[in-house]
Amino acid sequence: MSWSIQSISPAKESVFLEQIGTGITRQISVPGAVDASFEGAMLVIKASTGCIWEVDPETGARKRIREGSI
């Protein structure tokens, strides 16, 4: 299924997603989340901490793919 980014909340350190066509929503939280985009089927979240996270929106599984300044 496809997901769309509904909002990004730096205050809540979260990205809010909606599954297209179903109305299902999901909140993905990572420390310092400030920006997000999709690269293929994966959600990529940039954090104020300098980390970049790759998240599978279907399962919520995440991994830090880079550390450093953004």
Side-chain angles (χ1 to χ4, degrees), residues 12-31:
K12 293 182 180 179
E13 299 184 323
S14 297
V15 178
F16 296 88
L17 306 176
E18 182 176 351
Q19 193 175 51
I20 298 170
T22 67
I24 295 171
T25 59
R26 176 162 284 171
Q27 177 179 349
I28 305 291
S29 300
V30 298

Side-chain angles (χ1 to χ4, degrees), residues 3 6-7 17-18 26 33 37 41 43 49 52-53 58 62 67 69-70:
W3 294 85
Q6 294 303 300
S7 65
L17 306 176
E18 182 176 351
R26 176 162 284 171
S37 61
L43 177 66
T49 60
I52 297 177
W53 296 82
E58 293 292 326
R62 67 202 74 208
E67 248 182 273
S69 63
I70 56 172

Side-chain angles (χ1 to χ4, degrees), residues 42-45 52-56 61-65:
M42 298 301 281
L43 177 66
V44 176
I45 301 174
I52 297 177
W53 296 82
E54 185 178 74
V55 182
D56 181 340
R62 67 202 74 208
K63 66 178 176 178
R64 190 172 52 207
I65 57 174

